[in-house]
Amino acid sequence: MTNINTLTLQVADVEAAKSFYDEAFGIGDRLRFEQATPPTSGFRGFVISLVVADPAVVDSFIEPAITAGARVVKPAKKSFWGYGGVLQAPDGTLWKIAASSKKSTGAPLRVVDSLVLLLGTSDITASKAFYVDHGLTVAKSYGRKYVEFEAADGAVTLALYGRKAAAKDAGVPPEGSGSHRLVVGSDADAFVDPDGFAWSPASLTSDQPLSAQPRRADAGGATA
């Protein structure tokens, strides 16, 4: 089974990004950085989610992130599905911090239960088939609305929404163009998916330059 081991964000200032994310989320070496600023505008076609235990844990991430420089896109609040909010990091990446519980459970603060990469796709059915062909195993599937793949312990979970649904959930307009500014590091070979997201072996994203890795300038209308 293919697993996602790292997410590499392309940023203008690597040291500034490291400082922000250490203070805001502290999620360790699953998040990497490359100094690069390929053209991008609007919604980049993805959201990274921190799934946590309860509202108190959500707030324990959101408050330090705002102090560190994150912009509030959707304030944390209760909804029919639980409690959570959306922030935009200084580098432009959208982050959703959420819990399915609406009440505090006494869970330890600043502990992430799972890290989820949510891609907004132009065709969920086609993307689902593509990822299955590349070694991922479907865990949940709700037609053309949502797909989630299995992930080993400590790996990043991959989930798919339609592009408009992903943008709506994040609280941003769906329009966007240019680079995703994201490279997905996995234990599979390098490839580019139907929406222009570049995947590379995780060892490359951690130790070697990414400039030679597959990348698509325009993600079919998605901001990459």
Side-chain angles (χ1 to χ4, degrees):
M1 180 178 74
T2 297
N3 284 296
I4 298 173
N5 302 308
T6 61
L7 300 174
T8 297
L9 301 179
Q10 295 177 329
V11 299
D13 187 327
V14 169
E15 291 307 314
K18 287 180 178 178
S19 178
F20 167 78
Y21 284 109
D22 284 347
E23 183 176 346
F25 304 139
I27 54 178
D29 63 1
R30 284 179 291 179
L31 193 63
R32 308 289 174 84
F33 307 96
E34 177 196 18
Q35 186 167 354
T37 54
T40 188
S41 65
F43 181 44
R44 296 182 185 177
F46 73 95
V47 180
I48 304 175
S49 294
L50 305 182
V51 180
V52 302
D54 65 29
V57 184
V58 171
D59 291 340
S60 75
F61 283 105
I62 286 183
E63 292 169 5
I66 294 172
T67 299
R71 180 178 71 88
V72 177
V73 179
K74 292 177 70 174
K77 63 180 182 179
K78 292 181 180 179
S79 67
F80 71 93
W81 52 261
Y83 179 88
V86 178
L87 304 175
Q88 186 174 42
D91 64 87
T93 303
L94 293 170
W95 290 81
K96 181 177 181 179
I97 302 91
S100 59
S101 173
K102 299 179 185 181
K103 297 181 179 180
S104 294
T105 62
L109 301 181
R110 294 186 64 78
V111 173
V112 177
D113 293 339
S114 61
L115 182 62
V116 180
L117 173 62
L118 176 65
L119 303 184
T121 69
S122 58
D123 187 329
I124 284 185
T125 300
S127 291
K128 174 185 173 182
F130 178 89
Y131 282 118
V132 169
D133 286 345
H134 283 77
L136 281 82
T137 301
V138 174
K140 302 176 184 177
S141 182
Y142 301 98
R144 294 181 177 273
K145 294 183 177 181
Y146 180 78
V147 177
E148 184 176 305
F149 296 90
E150 293 182 4
D153 290 345
V156 179
T157 299
L158 176 66
L160 308 177
Y161 259 175
R163 181 179 175 83
K164 289 183 178 180
K168 182 179 180 180
D169 184 63
V172 298
E175 294 79 19
S177 62
S179 171
H180 293 293
R181 293 194 182 178
L182 172 73
V183 176
V184 182
S186 77
D187 46 21
D189 293 333
F191 62 84
V192 177
D193 79 2
D195 292 284
F197 287 94
W199 289 55
S200 289
S203 59
L204 292 184
T205 64
S206 60
D207 299 321
Q208 299 179 28
L210 300 173
S211 55
Q213 296 179 30
R215 202 168 280 135
R216 187 169 169 180
D218 186 348
T223 302

